[in-house]
Amino acid sequence: MIKIVSSLVIGMALFAPEASFATVPNDATTFATNVTTYSMNSTQNAKIERAEDHIKAVIGSDAFRTKVLNFTYNGKKQFNNSNGLTNAQIYQKILDASEAITPGKDNEMDLKIKVYYENSSTVGFTSTSSGYINMNTKFFNTYTPAQVARNMTHEWLHKLGFHHATLYSSSRDYSVPYAIGKIMEQLSATY
Ligand SMILES: [Zn+2]
């Protein structure tokens, strides 16, 4: 029994790492984050830094690439509100990281984050034309770094020009900001 398990582990060690390196493009493994925060305390800043580590690890992973390329909505490999882009084009747009307000493919998530407090159900907000993303401390202060990584990714995808319905519907979960934000949170738990 033990011998069978051992040989399986050796087999995976020989083949699995090479297979994943071959598929992740260079732009994924070199992906960087450039985050400026405003009026945050040291605990809040530490959470942002941990979230940045998650984001870089996840975007550099083969699991992220696979989940984005194989994402399905209405039975087809596509996102809702895709701006007419294929999954592969959306993946490349993330790696290019050209924010609409400061165009240029710099392979880097550029974000300026402000915090505010509001006793509402709004986690945060931004717009494609805004230089900032705004996070409600009502949620931010209780979030894990993986949840913050989801929130940062969601708001940043708006900066790349992706939108979603304002009101909740099940199809909204398949929009680029919601769907990729969720993938980010799920995979963050593994890094
Ligand atoms: Zn949004």
Side-chain angles (χ1 to χ4, degrees):
M1 191 60 161
I2 290 166
K3 275 184 182 171
I4 291 167
V5 172
S6 299
S7 63
L8 182 67
V9 170
I10 291 164
M12 286 172 70
L14 284 172
F15 296 108
E18 207 170 344
S20 24
F21 273 123
T23 52
V24 178
N26 200 42
D27 279 357
T29 54
T30 59
F31 191 85
T33 57
N34 174 26
V35 178
T36 307
T37 63
Y38 298 85
S39 308
M40 281 196 193
N41 63 36
S42 57
T43 306
Q44 292 169 327
N45 275 312
K47 200 181 277 188
I48 293 288
E49 283 175 26
R50 187 76 189 93
E52 288 183 68
D53 291 340
H54 280 317
I55 289 166
K56 285 181 280 190
V58 168
I59 290 186
S61 72
D62 189 46
F64 178 75
R65 175 188 165 278
T66 302
K67 280 184 182 289
V68 173
L69 294 185
N70 294 310
F71 189 83
T72 60
Y73 166 60
N74 277 349
K76 278 180 64 184
K77 281 192 182 180
Q78 61 178 357
F79 285 85
N80 190 11
N81 308 117
S82 64
N83 292 350
L85 301 177
T86 65
N87 289 4
Q89 287 169 329
I90 289 168
Y91 178 69
Q92 188 58 48
K93 203 168 165 65
I94 290 167
L95 301 185
D96 289 344
S98 177
E99 293 84 5
I101 196 169
T102 51
K105 298 177 182 180
D106 63 358
N107 194 217
E108 182 173 74
M109 176 187 281
D110 299 311
L111 271 188
K112 293 177 180 174
I113 306 176
K114 286 181 177 173
V115 282
Y116 69 101
Y117 175 80
E118 186 181 78
N119 191 10
S120 73
S121 61
T122 302
V123 172
F125 64 91
T126 190
S127 70
T128 307
S129 59
S130 167
Y132 301 89
I133 70 169
N134 304 276
M135 291 181 166
N136 187 350
T137 53
K138 180 187 174 185
F139 296 93
F140 177 76
N141 289 349
T142 65
Y143 272 2
T144 63
Q147 290 172 309
V148 171
R150 178 196 70 212
N151 191 201
M152 288 166 66
T153 302
H154 177 113
E155 301 299 342
W156 179 68
L157 287 163
H158 285 304
K159 309 233 152 291
L160 295 191
F162 293 105
H163 304 285
H164 57 73
T166 307
L167 297 176
Y168 178 77
S169 65
S170 58
S171 64
R172 193 177 75 168
D173 292 338
Y174 296 85
S175 67
V176 174
Y178 276 99
I180 292 181
K182 187 177 175 186
I183 291 170
M184 177 60 67
E185 181 182 352
Q186 287 174 334
L187 293 180
S188 285
T190 63
Y191 295 103

